[in-house]
Amino acid sequence: HRNHEGAESSISDLTVFYKNAKKRFDESEPFKDASRINVVKLQSGDPECREIWQILCDVSRREFLKVYKRLDITLTEVGESFYNSKIPPVIEEFE
């Protein structure tokens, strides 16, 4: 997704994007390899990957907030890493 500067996407755009990406991922080894490389780049903090990820998150968040407002739900958003220190005690509890 090279042309992402100033993009104003909708949840419908994302749905189409995800379906097309999943189809390409399943059918194309080069696309699958590029996808994996970009996940590693994102997790490593690559600025372009993070910018694109932020756009995807912002579009999703706008739609989630509409639903939360209708349901009168308030959430505090935290990143996935927030849970890292909480995982080992949960695993211990189940062992």
Side-chain angles (χ1 to χ4, degrees):
H1 187 344
R2 287 274 173 211
N3 190 17
H4 57 274
E5 293 82 9
E8 186 63 36
S9 298
S10 71
I11 199 70
S12 297
D13 296 333
L14 283 189
T15 302
V16 170
F17 173 78
Y18 285 136
K19 286 180 181 179
N20 290 338
K22 171 68 170 127
K23 185 174 182 345
R24 281 187 69 192
F25 186 88
D26 291 342
E27 296 173 352
S28 168
E29 283 302 316
F31 185 80
K32 190 179 288 189
D33 291 340
S35 298
R36 290 181 176 139
I37 289 167
N38 279 294
V39 167
V40 171
K41 287 170 64 176
L42 173 64
Q43 292 171 339
S44 299
D46 176 80
E48 182 180 22
C49 288
R50 288 189 52 93
E51 181 181 349
I52 294 167
W53 178 250
Q54 191 61 56
I55 291 168
L56 299 175
C57 291
D58 290 346
V59 170
S60 296
R61 188 176 297 107
R62 278 196 311 267
E63 295 301 316
F64 297 156
L65 289 174
K66 290 177 189 176
V67 174
Y68 299 156
K69 184 175 180 177
R70 267 186 96 177
L71 296 173
D72 195 27
I73 294 173
T74 303
L75 297 177
T76 302
E77 188 174 322
V78 296
E80 293 172 10
S81 61
F82 171 83
Y83 298 99
N84 285 349
S85 65
K86 298 171 183 344
I87 294 171
V90 173
I91 292 171
E92 287 177 24
E93 185 176 328
F94 284 102
E95 290 182 330

